[in-house]
Amino acid sequence: MNNTRSEMALRADGISKTYSSESGVIRVLNHINLELSKSDFVTISGPSGCGKSTLLMILGALQEPDEGTLEYDGVSPYKLNAKDRAQFRSTNIGFVFQDFNLVPYLNVRENILCPGIVNHSKDWGARSAELIESLGLSDRADHYPDQLSSGEKQRTALARALLVEPSIIFADEPTGNLDQANGQKVLEHLTVYANNGAIVMMATHDKEAFNVGNKHLQMAEGSVLTLT
Amino acid sequence: MGVTAVSVSVLSYIISLSVLSKSQMSFTDKMKRMNSDLIKEISDLENSIRKSMKGLGFNIHIYPEQQDLAEIYEQGYGEQTMPEEYVEKLANSKIVTVNHLLPRLTQMVKWAEKEQSVLLIGVRGEVPIAFRGENRKKALIDPVKIGDIVLGYELHNKYEIKLGDIIKFMGREFKVTATHPSRGTIDDITAWMALSTVQELLKKSGLINGILALECNCESIDRLGDIKKEIGQILPGTKIIEKESKALARAEARNKVKKTGEKQMQNFALSQKELIVSQSITATLFVLIITALSIGWIAYLTFSNVANRSVEIGILGAMGFGGSKLILLIISRATLMGVAGTLCALLLSFLAVPIFWGEQVFNDIFMNPSNLFILTCVPTLLACCAAWIPAVKGALKDPAVILRNE
Ligand SMILES: Nc1ncnc2c1ncn2[C@@H]1O[C@H](COP(=O)(O)OP(=O)(O)O)[C@@H](O)[C@H]1O
Ligand SMILES: [Mg+2]
């Protein structure tokens, strides 16, 4: 893709997160240390409830950890106020979720253009057209989410995540609700994006998807077992 | 969805207003019609009474104060006398209630020449009421000239006396100038003469024992009271009784009918008013309930969208929408929804209201500034308020928390 995108490294030190519920305090993440650099496609696997989503949220500057520091090339998003942190997300981070999370009253094109409302660094029209084209959504651009198939929904969500060319993409089980073929397409796009110099972090249950990455993170009960 | 909700509630509000306005309008119409009917009927009645009373007048007797009325009822006249000047006094006053004044001196005498009881009445032509001048009413009774006599039926029939005969009465000669047909009353044994002659015959010079006042006019209910008051001021020391009359009885009956009619109609109007008041209370309550329901419904629909909203807020937050931007976005969407829904409803009702309920109702609803305000602003404001809460809540939360809780 293009090379104007900032090329970042991510550093997480001693990230811990606990949730308290009626049944007691659950330590979801336990002193996670992580260092990623551009073109890393990290796939994360682990049993359900081991803390994959939580880790992605924290690394994605969506949820503050209890302990630990997070740094993107010298910027610590959790040291920013909420507004600046949102701004930081809008320029640097993209998200893809298992259940798409499209805005129901916006059509495909509008959904894709959504992050552009906050990020004014350029006119995103051409970029969105390019994404609609490359993700095979051309004849769906004016449709609304409830008129789309799961695959189309997820490709729309992916295009939305890619619009502002963030330096890092977090994908939480993006293929979980897709059939084999559609899942494959999403994985291909993510791979291409990582190969172009971004960091991609993807949590997945799927063995095949897990193998797509060039780094593999195995988690269990809030800890990193292996990072290969 | 939201647009429909706003639309439907605004529409239902307008419809309820229309139905109400219509029904209230027919109430007021009915009331107006009944009121004018009522007023017309009363005035008709009054007119007919006035017509029947007009020109009838009524008659009173004025007697000396010390006159025992029992004596009058017993023998048809009183023995007590009062000065003849009283009539002048009355005639020269500005009395408005009495039209004709007839002084008289009456006594039952024996017609010695015929061994016959005669009620002798001395009359003096009518005393003109001074201030009326030329406009005074036409004299009702012709006076009897000195030396003339007028005889009741029994007196001329029994003794075969003819008009123009010269007869002897109490030692004097009189010319018979009139003979009355039978009336079946004491008039039949009455003889009329000039007042001065009777005063001489009875040795009661300058005295009378009664004044007959004819065609008294007084439209008030208590006419006798009013006349008593007026005459009493001019002639203290007199007593006044009303002479029985058929016309009066009729007028009295009319008055009674009028009174009951008025009363009935008042009662009717009152009960109608009460009915309308209670109906308008019900109507107001109805509007209040519909309003509350409409507001409630908009609020409910908006809040029930909160789950959706939260996701939306979470996604937008994840994409970098910061607090105020997020709130602004949500609110503007709600505003748009409110405006669109309101416009839809207004458009529909602009078309439908005149067709179903007519121009009047349309004007009632849409030409009323407070109504217009309620119809245009409140739904939008409500939609905004309802969106405000989840927006602010969402903006304050970490997007992750929202996304995860879905
Ligand atoms: N808001 C929360 N409150 C309490 N517990 C939570 C909350 N969010 C997640 N958890 C718990 O944290 C654990 C990790 O969740 P998650 O990160 O979603 O795991 P994974 O994505 O690996 O399935 C789970 O046991 C889950 O029940
Ligand atoms: Mg998960």
Side-chain angles (χ1 to χ4, degrees), chain A residues 5-124:
Chain A
R5 181 205 315 143
S6 57
E7 290 164 0
M8 264 195 188
L10 176 153
R11 226 186 117 87
D13 275 315
I15 302 282
S16 294
K17 181 76 185 172
T18 51
Y19 289 121
S20 25
S21 61
E22 307 89 48
S23 49
V25 177
I26 313 159
R27 195 167 193 91
V28 183
L29 296 177
N30 196 5
H31 290 286
I32 305 272
N33 300 312
L34 208 59
E35 223 181 302
L36 301 173
S37 50
K38 66 173 204 159
S39 296
D40 278 347
F41 189 163
V42 188
T43 51
I44 309 165
S45 77
S48 187
C50 71
K52 303 182 292 293
S53 297
T54 307
L55 181 62
L56 292 183
M57 296 280 194
I58 289 174
L59 296 181
L62 278 177
Q63 188 177 23
E64 201 166 354
D66 299 333
E67 281 168 45
T69 56
L70 176 69
E71 225 175 74
Y72 284 83
D73 279 348
V75 180
S76 301
Y78 292 115
K79 289 186 180 142
L80 303 173
N81 64 32
K83 192 180 165 226
D84 291 343
R85 186 156 71 245
Q87 188 63 42
F88 176 83
R89 277 200 303 270
S90 77
T91 47
N92 297 299
I93 301 170
F95 290 93
V96 182
F97 304 93
Q98 178 173 357
D99 36 18
F100 327 125
N101 286 341
L102 298 175
V103 180
Y105 53 85
L106 299 180
N107 66 24
V108 167
R109 191 195 318 280
E110 290 160 348
N111 260 289
I112 293 170
L113 278 167
C114 238
I117 300 168
V118 196
N119 187 330
H120 310 286
S121 57
K122 70 185 217 195
D123 178 36
W124 301 106

Side-chain angles (χ1 to χ4, degrees), chain A residues 112-169:
Chain A
I112 293 170
L113 278 167
C114 238
I117 300 168
V118 196
N119 187 330
H120 310 286
S121 57
K122 70 185 217 195
D123 178 36
W124 301 106
R127 170 73 174 149
S128 67
E130 181 191 316
L131 285 166
I132 288 168
E133 175 72 32
S134 67
L135 284 157
L137 292 165
S138 298
D139 51 349
R140 287 282 177 271
D142 297 321
H143 287 65
Y144 287 85
D146 57 3
Q147 302 168 304
L148 300 176
S149 71
S150 307
E152 287 159 351
K153 281 182 192 164
Q154 196 59 302
R155 276 179 276 138
T156 303
L158 187 58
R160 184 176 63 183
L162 297 177
L163 182 80
V164 298
E165 303 184 300
S167 47
I168 183 159
I169 296 271

Side-chain angles (χ1 to χ4, degrees), chain B residues 46-306:
Chain B
E46 273 173 354
N47 279 342
S48 76
I49 288 167
R50 211 162 275 137
K51 254 179 231 160
S52 75
M53 299 257 289
K54 199 177 158 195
L56 276 177
F58 63 101
N59 309 326
I60 57 170
H61 288 293
I62 303 168
Y63 294 112
E65 195 172 33
Q66 68 274 18
Q67 176 65 52
D68 180 7
L69 291 177
E71 187 186 76
I72 290 172
Y73 298 129
E74 200 175 58
Q75 59 186 40
Y77 67 97
E79 302 282 359
Q80 298 294 330
T81 56
M82 54 188 173
E84 195 183 335
E85 300 97 73
Y86 273 25
V87 199
E88 265 73 37
K89 218 169 155 190
L90 203 55
N92 291 328
S93 70
K94 285 191 178 287
I95 190 158
V96 289
T97 47
V98 176
N99 275 322
H100 307 280
L101 289 173
L102 299 166
R104 51 172 60 196
L105 183 60
T106 309
Q107 193 165 321
M108 195 63 88
V109 295
K110 270 269 181 285
W111 189 359
E113 289 83 350
K114 307 271 187 207
E115 288 283 314
Q116 167 73 47
S117 285
V118 171
L119 185 67
L120 181 60
I121 300 179
V123 294
R124 189 186 125 180
E126 188 170 326
V127 182
I129 291 173
F131 82 97
R132 290 205 177 118
E134 290 307 307
N135 284 336
R136 71 190 183 83
K137 302 236 167 163
K138 202 179 132 240
L140 280 181
I141 293 173
D142 292 328
V144 183
K145 288 194 196 90
I146 292 171
D148 289 352
I149 191 166
V150 172
L151 296 175
Y153 182 74
E154 279 304 312
L155 299 183
H156 65 82
N157 185 53
K158 194 168 165 188
Y159 304 108
E160 298 183 338
I161 297 169
K162 301 271 167 326
L163 211 63
D165 287 357
I166 305 290
I167 57 163
K168 234 177 160 168
F169 190 88
M170 291 181 85
R172 290 195 191 192
E173 285 193 337
F174 296 92
K175 188 183 175 198
V176 179
T177 52
T179 51
H180 288 312
S182 172
R183 287 175 179 165
T185 65
I186 197 162
D187 276 0
D188 289 354
I189 56 155
T190 299
W192 289 269
M193 292 177 186
L195 177 62
S196 55
T197 311
V198 175
Q199 282 169 338
E200 283 164 27
L201 287 176
L202 300 177
K203 302 187 174 59
K204 287 183 175 172
S205 169
L207 292 175
I208 53 174
N209 57 9
I211 302 170
L212 183 59
L214 294 178
E215 285 193 12
C216 302
N217 275 336
C218 187
E219 288 186 358
S220 79
I221 305 295
D222 183 24
R223 38 174 202 248
L224 189 61
D226 285 358
I227 281 174
K228 269 182 179 163
K229 229 163 82 193
E230 203 179 4
I231 293 174
Q233 277 164 6
I234 303 159
L235 295 179
T238 56
K239 90 176 18 164
I240 291 149
I241 60 169
E242 187 175 359
K243 201 181 169 204
E244 190 195 339
S245 105
K246 270 180 192 165
L248 280 177
R250 213 158 68 214
E252 206 127 68
R254 288 246 161 81
N255 262 344
K256 240 177 238 165
V257 169
K258 181 189 163 186
K259 261 198 202 159
T260 21
E262 266 172 355
K263 185 132 196 164
Q264 270 174 351
M265 286 188 216
Q266 269 165 8
N267 284 344
F268 180 62
L270 208 74
S271 69
Q272 279 299 315
K273 253 177 215 151
E274 270 164 15
L275 187 71
I276 281 160
V277 165
S278 80
Q279 266 166 336
S280 72
I281 287 171
T282 322
T284 314
L285 254 161
F286 184 59
V287 166
L288 280 177
I289 289 169
I290 292 283
T291 312
L293 281 180
S294 300
I295 290 173
W297 200 36
I298 292 179
Y300 168 76
L301 282 166
T302 324
F303 277 107
S304 71
N305 270 355
V306 164

